[in-house]
Amino acid sequence: MNRFALSVSSAIARVTESALGPCQTAVVRIGFSATWLLFLLREFPHRAELYGPSGPWSWDDAQQLIAVNHAFTALMWSDGRAWFEIVYVLAVLSSVLLLLGWRTRTMSVLFMIGVLSLQNRSVFMGDGGDNVLHLMSVYLVFTRCGQVWSLDARRARRAAGARARGERVADRMGPVLWSVLGFALVAVTAGGRFDGVDPTVPVIVWTVWVALGVWWVVGRRAKSAEPRILLDVVGNIVHNGALVVIMAEACLIYATAGWYKIQGSRWQDGTAVYYPLHLDYFSPWPALADLLSSSGIMVMLVTYGTVVVQVAFPFTLFNRRVKNVLLAVMMTEHTVIAVVLGLPFFSLAMIAADSVFLPTSFLRGLGERVARARARLLARGARVPLPGPRAPENPEPTHASSTV
């Protein structure tokens, strides 16, 4: 009984004392923000046709659908082209700042608003990758995804160093950003923009805004450490819970995909992979598709292998070595899908979701190698002299040189 109580207390301490998986959540943050950013930039010339007033899914059609499903989208606040451009640019900007890890908690909320606003505006434009991004943009709000590999982490290290030297550290940008967003949030709520939509997004936005304000006040005004410790424990619990949800979501995606494939006749006879390779929409490289589908044995192995990997992956989480092998296989498979079938953003979204299962040692080693490569590039750039004006071949002596 004492051993059981000790195990329970150790598990509780582990969940409450620290935010687990800092490297994994950072990679998920970077992966999904980069995926969404690249998609927005690629579709920038076609943005109005996809999500804006020039698209086949008109503003009136979207308004009728949202009246039924109550989905949140800021694009329904106005049907003007100027408002659409503002929302699109803000979606791009929030993706960049979340990728860099600047004010990650605030940027994760704005990132979620951008994703939901565009995707819910034109629901028929998405695919499986968009659905994954849709869900993960909500889950990221609850994580402490800026603990490593972010501008927030660098600012925290500098602040800690300044405090160690006895210097006073003041955060002016945080209160200004909080006040501006709070004013906008009050205006949106008072204007009835949240009326008729699912309350999930408004509740999340208001909760995060209030929590950030409480966190700042406690950090500045609390006379003892207990209130800060309590808030830190709550933040760790929320983060760890969201991390478990992200992992469960990834497992659910693969499990349902695998079991649904088992029920299909083409997957049962081992020919399912052959048909997408010969669809014009999924054949950016026809010669490569023909090469891969020329061997019946290869098609059968890939078809059955896909089903086996997807069904087995959730069960391999109990064995680290097998899990890592299947994880590498799935990431390789998504890379092949991105190239052969021309689905880069779907593959990037799935690889970002898979990254939550990557080993911490591998991620830390990868981060160290990236840091060393960056340091070498900076050092090499510092050694290269800047080009200056070329001296004439026979310069005329100046007054000073002739005097010398």
Side-chain angles (χ1 to χ4, degrees):
M1 185 65 184
N2 292 334
R3 183 177 300 176
F4 175 76
L6 182 60
S7 300
V8 172
S9 62
S10 300
I12 294 175
R14 180 174 175 80
V15 172
T16 58
E17 291 179 355
S18 63
L20 303 177
C23 297
Q24 285 80 0
T25 50
V27 172
V28 171
R29 182 201 85 229
I30 294 170
F32 280 106
S33 58
T35 300
W36 184 238
L37 175 62
L38 292 174
F39 175 79
L40 294 178
L41 294 179
R42 191 194 72 168
E43 301 298 343
F44 190 82
H46 316 291
R47 62 193 183 280
E49 288 76 15
L50 285 174
Y51 303 111
S54 302
W57 190 248
S58 66
W59 192 81
D60 293 332
D61 294 334
Q63 193 175 35
Q64 294 177 19
L65 180 60
I66 290 174
V68 177
N69 61 15
H70 306 289
F72 168 82
T73 170
L75 289 178
M76 300 311 298
W77 298 349
S78 173
D79 60 347
R81 180 62 182 265
W83 175 244
F84 166 74
E85 298 293 349
I86 291 173
V87 173
Y88 200 93
V89 171
L90 288 178
V92 173
L93 182 60
S94 63
S95 301
V96 173
L97 295 178
L98 184 62
L99 175 64
L100 298 177
W102 185 81
R103 309 286 173 176
T104 49
R105 184 73 71 178
T106 301
M107 289 305 117
S108 64
V109 175
L110 297 179
F111 177 78
M112 176 192 69
I113 292 175
V115 171
L116 298 183
S117 295
L118 293 174
Q119 289 189 354
N120 290 338
R121 168 62 176 83
S122 301
V123 294
F124 299 108
M125 297 296 178
D127 54 20
D130 293 316
N131 294 334
V132 175
L133 180 62
H134 189 107
L135 295 172
M136 294 301 176
S137 67
V138 179
Y139 301 153
L140 277 175
V141 175
F142 301 97
T143 65
R144 289 181 156 182
C145 54
Q147 295 180 101
V148 297
W149 305 330
S150 66
L151 297 179
D152 286 349
R154 186 180 69 173
R155 187 177 66 253
R157 289 193 300 269
R158 291 180 176 179
R163 293 190 186 96
R165 295 189 299 269
E167 301 175 3
R168 183 183 178 186
V169 179
D171 182 14
R172 297 181 178 88
M173 178 58 67
V176 171
L177 185 61
W178 183 84
S179 301
V180 171
L181 295 179
F183 176 80
L185 185 56
V186 170
V188 168
T189 305
R193 301 301 185 181
F194 289 144
D195 296 345
V197 302
D198 185 87
T200 302
V201 173
V203 168
I204 290 175
V205 175
W206 270 107
T207 302
V208 172
W209 184 76
V210 172
L212 290 177
V214 172
W215 201 289
W216 184 84
V217 170
V218 169
R220 292 292 299 271
R221 304 299 181 184
K223 298 181 180 180
S224 62
E226 284 78 7
R228 290 191 292 270
I229 294 175
L230 176 61
L231 290 179
D232 201 50
V233 168
V234 173
N236 291 335
I237 293 175
V238 173
H239 165 91
N240 295 330
L243 184 61
V244 171
V245 171
I246 292 174
M247 298 172 70
E249 186 69 40
C251 291
L252 185 62
I253 291 173
Y254 283 115
T256 53
W259 286 106
Y260 271 111
K261 286 181 175 65
I262 290 178
Q263 302 176 35
S265 59
R266 294 294 176 263
W267 292 96
Q268 293 175 5
D269 60 24
T271 61
V273 174
Y274 176 85
Y275 298 99
L277 294 174
H278 291 81
L279 294 176
D280 293 338
Y281 185 79
F282 297 109
S283 299
W285 314 100
L288 181 59
D290 292 339
L291 177 63
L292 294 177
S293 61
S294 60
S295 173
I297 296 178
M298 177 65 67
V299 171
M300 182 185 66
L301 291 177
V302 173
T303 302
Y304 288 150
T306 300
V307 175
V308 171
V309 169
Q310 291 182 348
V311 173
F313 178 73
F315 301 100
T316 63
L317 298 181
F318 302 101
N319 189 304
R320 183 175 302 179
R321 292 183 178 179
V322 178
K323 182 262 296 182
N324 292 338
V325 171
L326 288 188
L327 194 61
V329 171
M330 289 191 302
M331 289 185 170
T332 303
E333 180 184 12
H334 288 306
T335 303
V336 173
I337 290 174
V339 176
V340 177
L341 299 183
L343 297 172
F345 301 109
F346 166 78
S347 299
L348 286 175
M350 292 307 303
I351 290 174
D354 295 341
S355 301
V356 74
F357 298 106
L358 289 174
T360 301
S361 58
F362 170 78
L363 292 177
R364 288 178 177 173
L366 181 62
E368 292 174 358
R369 287 192 290 271
V370 172
R372 287 196 297 267
R374 177 176 175 271
R376 285 196 296 268
L377 289 176
L378 293 177
R380 185 179 303 174
R383 289 196 301 267
V384 175
L386 295 177
R390 179 179 298 178
E393 297 180 357
N394 297 310
E396 294 291 337
T398 62
H399 178 73
S401 61
S402 60
T403 303
V404 172

